[in-house]
Every structure is written in C-alpha cells, then in structure tokens.
Amino acid sequence: MRVIVKLILVSFALGFYSCKKVIDIKLKATDIKYVIEGIVSNKAGDCKVYVSKSKPFNENNDFEKVSGAVVKVSDNGVEVALSETQAGIYQTNLINGTPGHVYQLTVSVNGETFSASCTLPQPVGLDTLYIAPGPLGKFQFANIAYTDPVGINNAYRFIQYKNGVKDPAIFVQDDKFADGQSVVTRLDTGVDKEDDPRNINSGDEVIIEMLTVDESIFKYWNSLRSAGGDGSTSTASPANPVTNIKGGALGYFSAHTVSQRMVIAP
Amino acid sequence: MKKNIRFLGLLAFIWGILPLNSSGQQKHALHGIIKSKKTGETIIGASISVVGTAIGTTSNEYGFYSLSVPAGPHTLLASSVGMKSAEIKISIAKDEELNLILEDGSQELDSVTVSVSTSGRSLSSPQMGIEKINIAAIKNVPVLFGEKDVFKTMQLLPGVKSVGDGNSGFYVRGGASDQNLVLLDEAPVYNASHLLGFFSTFNSDAIKNVTLYKGDMPPQYGGKLSSVVDIKMNDGNNQDFSMSGGIGLIASRINVEGPIQKDKSSFLVSARRTYVDVFLQLFGDSTIKKTKLYFYDLNTKMNFILGEKDRLYLSGYFGRDVLSQDELTGINWGNATGTLRWNHIFNNKLFSNTSLIFSNYNYNIHSNSTTTDFHILSQIRDWNIKEELQWYLNTAHTLNFGANFINHTLIPGEISVSGGPAQGLENRYSLESAFYANDVWRISNKWNLSFGARLSVFSILGAGDYYEINDDGEVTDTIHYKSGEVVKTYTNVEPRISASYRLNDISSIKFSIARNSQNLHLISNSSSTSPTDKWIASTNIIKPELANQFAIGYYRNFNGNNYEFSSEAYFKTMANQIDYRDGAEVFSNEPIETQLLFGKGRAYGIELSVKKKQGRFTGWINYTLSKTERQFAGINGGSWYNARQDRTHDIALVGMYQLNRKWNLSATWVYYTGDAITYPSGKYTVDGDVYFYYSERNGYRMPSYHRLDLGATKQLKKTKKFSSEMNFTLYNAYGRANAYVVNFQESETDPDKTEAVKTSLFNFVPTISYNFKF
C-alpha cells in the first residue's frame, strides 16, 4: 500500500513539472531594416553613431555594418559632420555633450533619411555601490543608491560590467514614484543557475555605469525590455520598442551623462 | 408617419387578439412551485405542459411556473433533466395553486440504463445560443486534477474555447475573456479562477444549475459583450441533513446542508481548500519550502419560506488565493459576494424577484526586501439593486421586465513605495443602470418570437480628475469633478430579438439579432489570465464596447429524442475595442487612457454539435470553425490582424460509458488550432546584444493543441444513508507536449543561432479522489 501511495505521489509530481523542447518554426522573409545607435555623452568629445542592418531570424549573428552613410549631429543647432572611423562606426570629437543642450541626428544612407532629437539631462551620480546576496540567498547582485533631484523628471539607465564584460540585462528607472527621494535598488540580472557565467562570484570586479537619460530613451529601453525584445518574456503581444528615430529605422539616439563606480565582490 | 402608426396599430391588434382565437373556453391560471421530493430544492427549467394541448411552460430560476389552462379535466405532465417525469390529473374550475414534486430519476437497481435527460434542448423556444449544464451529468467528465469543474466542462461546449492548459478562462464566439459575465446567485464574479487559472472558483457540490448564453442573451442580462454564465447555487436540503465531500490529491471539499425548520427553511455551507503547498514542502528544495501556495472557497446560503407567497434567500461566497515566495514577497487575490433576494408571488400570473447584491474583488501584491518595498492594491466594489418581474399574461405571451442599478467603485491600482504615501491612479465611481422589457410570444404552433430591448445607461461620476488626450497619448487638459458630479453618461439601446420556426415534430430553425454594451474592461498584458490584469471603467475617453450579433441555426432530433443535432452560424461586429499601445507601462501613475488604443473587431463562425443523451453510452461531439480579427490604428500598421484567441478549428469529443453497476468510464478528446501569435521576423544588434524585430501582429500560429483525458469512477458503497466512490483520472493520457508558451533564445549548442523553444506543462497527470455523501 505504501509503495502504491509513493508511486502515485511521485508520478503526480512528475506530471506537475514542465518540460522544454526546441521546435521548428518557418518564418516568413521580411524587409531588412537599418539599425542606428547614436550616442552623445557628457564625456569630452564622446559622440558616435553605429549604423548596421537587421538580419533574417535563422541566419547567424554576424550583422552587416553599413558604410558610406552621411551622418551629422547638431548641438543646439550647430551642425557637425561625423566621419567613418571604422566600418559602420561614425565619430567626431568636436561635440562635447553638455547638460541642457538639444542634440539632433540625421543619417542619410541609400536614399533614405532618418532623424532624431534628444536633450542631454543633468548629471546624477551613484552614492554607493555594494554587492550583496539576493532574496533567495544563493546569488549575489549589485546594489546601488543614489539621490533623485526633486522637481525635475529624471530617468536613469544602469549598465553592469563584470570583469570587463557587459551583462545583457536592461535596467531603467524613472522617478515617478520616488521624486526627490534617496533610492536604493538591487540590480537583479535574473540569473538563477549556479553555473551561469553571468553570476557575480567572489573576487569579481563589478562596474556599474549610471546614465541619466531623456524620457524618450527611458521609454526605448523600457519597451525593449518589456515587449519581448529579447524573446524571453511571456508578454501577450511582443512588439518593437518605441524609438525616437523617425524615418523607419530601428535603434535609438541617446544624449546622456555617464558616471560609474567599481567594487570587488566579497 | 401615419403609415407607421397604422402598421403599429395593426401589429398590436394581432398581438392582443391572437391568443383569444385559440379557444372560446374560459381559461384559468394555474401556478405553483416545482420542487425535488428528496431535498426540497426548487427545480429550474422544468417542463410543465398540459397533455394533448400546446399549452406548456418552463419553471423559472426560482422554480415558479404559471399556465393558462381551459376549464375542465386535464393531465399535467412535469419533467426535468435527471428527474422522473410525473403525470398529475387535474380538474380546473377556477384559478388554482398547485405545487409539484418530482422524484430523482436515479439509476434503477436492476438494470444499467441511465437516462441522462428527458427534456433537453428545446426545439420551440426562440432562445438561441444557449447551453445548459447538467451538474449531475458532468460528474463523470474527466478534468485536470480530478476536480469536477464547471468551467473546464464548459470549455467542451460548442462555441466556447479554453484559454489554454490549466486555465479556466474562456472565449465565447471570438470574444475576449473579459467579455463573459459570470453570475453566482446574481452576484458578478470578476475573477473566476484560482491559482492563476488552474482551477475555477466554483465548488460544484453547491451548484444547482449553470446556463450559458452565447451572445444573444435575453434583455434581463447585460453588461458584457460575449456571454453570460448564470450559476445558481443549491438552496439547501430542507428535508434532511446531508453531508458530502471529497478528498483529492490537490484539494478537498466538504458540503453540509440541512433544514433549519423542515419544509420552511434551510442552510448550506460548502468549503474547499487546496494543499498544493504541502506537496511543495515535500518535494521542493529549501527555497521552495518557504513558499505558500493555497486557495480556499466558502459558499454559504440560507433561505426562508415566509408563507405561500414569499421566500427570502441570503447567500455569500468568499474565496481567496495566496501565493507567496517567502515572508517578503507575495500576491493574494479574491472575491467576496453577498446576495439578499426576496421572491414575491403577487398573483397567479405575476412573479417578482428583488435582489440586493454586494460584490468585491481585489488583489494585493507586496514585496518587502532590504532594498525596495512596494505594495499594490487593486479593487472593484459593486453595490447592486435589481428588480425583475415575470408576468405570465396568457397562453401566448410571457412578459419579463425590470430594472437594475449598480454602483461601481474601482480602485485601479494604488501603489505605495518604500514607506512613502500611497500614490497611484484615482478611484473611479460610476452608476450602471438598465431597464428592460421582453415578450416571449407564442404566435402559433410553428412560430415563436422573443423580442425586447435593454436600455443601458452608464454614468461616470466624480470625485476625480478626468483628462483630454491628444493622438500621441499626451494629456492636454485635466478637469476636476466633485463627488457625485456626472462626468459623462453613455446611453445604449440594446435590442434582443429571436425567433424559432418549427419545421416539424423533430426539427426547427431559429434566428436572432442582439446588441450588447460593456462598460467594465479588463486590460491585460500577459499571455495567461493573471490577477494583475486591470479592470477599468469607461471614461470620457474610453467608450463603452459594443457588439452586434446575428445568428441562425438549424436543429434536429434523431431516434426519438436520443440524439440531438444542433448547428448555429453567427456573425459579430465589435466596436470600441481596447488594447495597450506598443511599449505601454502596465503599472504607472499616468492616466490609463494615455497607454491605450481603440479599434474594432469582428468574429464569425459555425458551430456543429451532436449529443447522445440516453442509454449506457452518452456524450457529445462538437466542432467549431471560426475566425476573430481586430483592427487598430497604431497596431499592425492599421490592418486587420488575427486576435490572439482566433482558432480556426476547435473540436471536442466527450464520452461516458456505464460499464456495469459499479464502474463508469469516461474519456475526453480535444483538438484546437494554436493561438495566433507574434513571432519575430528578423533580428538586429543594439549595444552589443541581439534583439528581435517583429513585423506582423499575430501573424503566426502556436502549434496545434490536442489532448486525451481518461477517467473511471467506481461506486464503492451505495445505501440509502451513505454512498461513496473513487474517481481516477489521467489527464493528457498520451502525453502530448502542448505548447504553453514559445520563447526565442540563443541556441545552447551554437550561440550564434537563435532558436524557438516551447514550454509545455501537464503530461500524464494521474489523480485519485474519494467522494462521499451522507
């Protein structure tokens, strides 16, 4: 009798767990899109634009870089042409990102023109950075603290580098519920396996970059993360992120301030 | 204008004079309540007719019936599903009250033939799109975890589609899952599912009757576009104490009922609790051990017969789900409803029901950790007063009219963060009123017509801020309203017309036209019904959803009434449909209207069904072929796209076989085309990582879903005082790995390639449960 009961309980438990399997999907061919990443930061002379193309889903991840585009960035109306320093990368050191200035980007390639506009916000830096165990006690995560300036709409993006390697998790926050307050947050990358290479282990060097971003850029990263852009969320209707680039290109144009802190994980 | 008046006058003349033509004899009114002998429960939908004439009616939701019978001797025939038919000899000389009693039509001890129903789907009744679920008959339908579940069984009916594995949400005729009005003893239940959809909130032990209307509901119902599920609870055995219950692997339940005063009053208490968390303790690792995962339901009811003309009912339902990871983080949600109803029989032709209803649904999410601390509360609270009058005027006309007033208070999402003050969206207040009138007119032996309308008036009230918004979703103006001030009123006239034409003794055709409006909308951003879906009311910007439905049907009985064939085709258009913008924020304190887009929908299809009702083998086969689409400016480039719930084919086969006196075997097989889904059509790189590009909304299909369930019930003991049985179920008997969700990720073997991965739940789930009854 006991054996039967045990067998039943075990078979029931097996039935309860889920299983995963790779499946074959036939996807329809689609238009190739231009992808533009434009960055102006408050570091002296930091202004670069990456232009590439999208690819069909089942090809490899070697994305085509686009050369020969005409790229211009203007700083409060003063226009500067960027030169292609490497394939698909356009730079200039004549633009010094200044908080409060309005930056505009135009990219012309193969008869198509894309444009975007972005305002560089005021800088806000990290007060503290420390590594602490997460809620389940098993994994460690970066925890940060900063003070949000009161009375202005602020938005932030945090990027984690572990031993020089960028973690793919997207962290964005705005101050809608915390205007003027001291904010403490755990940057939970979502790792849940012991052997995950993204885990923060003892002795790892962790750098957190804090960017203050424009409202449109907050919306871009937030919608990229929550609308299933990386295919991992179970949202009902995955959609493309809300971009500030006009003309039909993917990507974004961000004018932001950067600061960082570093800590060695205990 | 004059022509119209004359035409209307002619119509009224015919309306009034037709019944008088049938016979020159004096007619008297015969009325009463029809009850079960064993328990004293009133019988809903019993058929009462005068043998040898066309005079007949069905008992209403409170067991009341009324007939106009000519003077003289007659035989009255009363019958109902699962009960033994009764013939009563009567002699009518004046208006009379005659209460009827029916005995259980239980299995005869000597043979194994089981009569599942004697009066099933009506060929003459003009009501289309109706499905009645016989609680006794669904007892043997195998379901997940062996929990007899009204909603899971409803998903096996034609035109009704299940949301997905384990989920008790459903779609009716292409409508979304929030377009179904679920009523438990007249009180609306806003989230009828437990454990994120794996179980429904209805404990079948306490249920008497379930009726589903698929869009062409009679005018006393309104408020949701696609369907009404009207669930009536048992009143409570007023003859004898009785206790029944069951012990299962996931949950146990108990039902106690009995008279407070025999024949005059009774009570019923039904409770159910799950203990899934106990299993997690046994099998999980240390992190899972701290998890709490349970739900409970409690149904309570009392009723009092106060004299010949009055009856009072008081019922309540309380249910709660708790999911928490540890002491710090968790979510709980639940419904609480209460109803006080008063039946009053004015005279032998006029029946009244007055109801006072309270309904409350809320969910709480809390997360306290060392770093952030937030608490989200969302709630709907309704106070409702309803008056229904049923006037059995004469043989030809039965009138139904009344009014309904609901006061809604919605707390759409109050958020408090890190000990700061509670912020969030404001409370919303509204008054939903409705007035309706309907006539079921038996025009002749061949033609029956039901026509009526519902006038729905939705008033949005202050206190609160309401906004003006431009096309980009930015607020351009804020207007503050004081408490009780009317912000806006939406008025809609909803005609409901249906007719049936009896071709001959065994077949008929029907058609119907119905219009419905809906003012409470569920905005969902997840692929399964999650309790964090938001209910919002219409505002000055969010207009009431509207649907127009046209349907025709052909019905035929074969082999006596043993086989029923039904076919219905429908076409539905929907306006003012709602969806989230791309990149919308679900939890934000922006006005909700800034995150929404509005558009249209359309759905059409054909439902075919064959049922076998009598004999050792009973069951049914359903097939539905359908399409549902939506169109929104701002989604899919403004072109029509498949709604998520669009499923081309939907098949259900259910069979139950009484093997011998002890064993009953059952099986269910379902098949449906996968949901319409959005798959990536390309990929690109941003900031060093790969992301997907989507071009078409819902342009692909999930893999098809099919599954076989097997069940067996063994009768252990059966005496007059006690009966018990063991029930075995095997869910997903051939282990088809149906896709619950499909994700895209980097291939584990080749990081340069992206692949699609499906997750499936529930392969080969066996269950045992033990049920008993005193």
Side-chain angles (χ1 to χ4, degrees), chain B residues 469-474 476 581 596-597:
Chain B
I469 296 189
N470 68 13
D471 286 338
D472 287 327
E474 289 156 356
T476 53
R581 275 178 197 276
L596 303 176
L597 294 170

Side-chain angles (χ1 to χ4, degrees), chain A residues 8-9 11-13 15-23 25-28 30 33 35 37 52 54-61 63 130 135-136 138 143 157 159 166 168 170 176-177 184-186 218 220-224 227-242 250-252, chain B residues 145 249-250 276 279 283 285 287 325-326 369-372 415 417-418 423 525-527 582-583 585 587-590 644 678-687 689-697 699-700 703 741-744 751-766 768:
Chain A
I8 292 170
L9 286 175
S11 59
F12 166 77
F16 199 67
Y17 291 150
S18 59
C19 60
K20 297 193 182 193
K21 189 171 167 234
V22 176
I23 55 174
I25 302 232
K26 300 254 178 309
L27 295 171
K28 304 174 217 173
T30 187
K33 295 271 179 191
V35 184
E37 276 184 84
S52 65
S54 69
K55 286 192 99 160
F57 183 79
N58 39 25
E59 290 184 20
N60 66 20
N61 289 347
F63 295 95
Y130 58 92
L136 298 177
K138 279 212 269 191
N143 292 267
R157 183 176 163 219
I159 310 175
K166 174 178 168 287
I170 301 175
K176 295 225 177 65
F177 295 120
V184 183
T185 303
R186 174 176 60 246
F218 167 77
Y220 177 80
W221 291 106
N222 202 24
S223 56
L224 181 62
D230 55 0
S232 64
T233 56
S234 57
T235 177
S237 325
N240 299 316
V242 182
L250 300 170
Y252 61 91
Chain B
F145 301 131
L249 283 186
I250 295 278
V276 177
F279 281 94
F283 290 102
D285 54 27
T287 54
Q325 188 180 36
D326 47 39
S369 63
T370 50
T371 50
T372 22
I415 304 180
V417 179
S418 296
Q423 324 173 18
N525 205 23
S526 56
S527 46
D582 284 349
E585 292 183 52
F587 285 111
S588 107
N589 57 5
E590 296 282 310
R644 184 177 3 135
T678 307
Y679 282 162
S681 36
K683 55 188 178 179
Y684 59 97
T685 181
V686 152
D687 207 14
D689 292 305
V690 179
Y691 295 97
F692 301 119
Y693 171 65
Y694 301 96
S695 55
E696 250 185 305
R697 169 78 81 106
Y700 292 91
V741 72
V742 174
N743 288 324
F744 295 89
D752 220 22
K753 288 207 111 183
T754 332
E755 59 188 12
V757 175
K758 80 171 174 195
T759 305
S760 49
L761 311 169
F762 303 139
N763 305 338
F764 307 113
V765 184
I768 296 184

Side-chain angles (χ1 to χ4, degrees), chain B residues 361-406:
Chain B
Y361 165 68
N362 66 24
Y363 68 78
N364 283 289
I365 304 177
H366 58 98
S367 172
N368 308 2
S369 63
T370 50
T371 50
T372 22
D373 185 4
F374 68 85
H375 180 212
I376 300 176
L377 166 72
S378 181
Q379 180 169 288
I380 305 181
R381 177 168 292 181
D382 287 351
W383 283 102
N384 183 359
I385 185 160
K386 201 194 275 199
E387 171 61 40
E388 297 171 67
L389 289 152
Q390 292 166 5
W391 189 11
Y392 298 81
L393 185 58
N394 53 39
T395 339
H397 296 280
T398 307
L399 300 169
N400 198 331
F401 48 95
N404 189 350
F405 303 95
I406 313 178

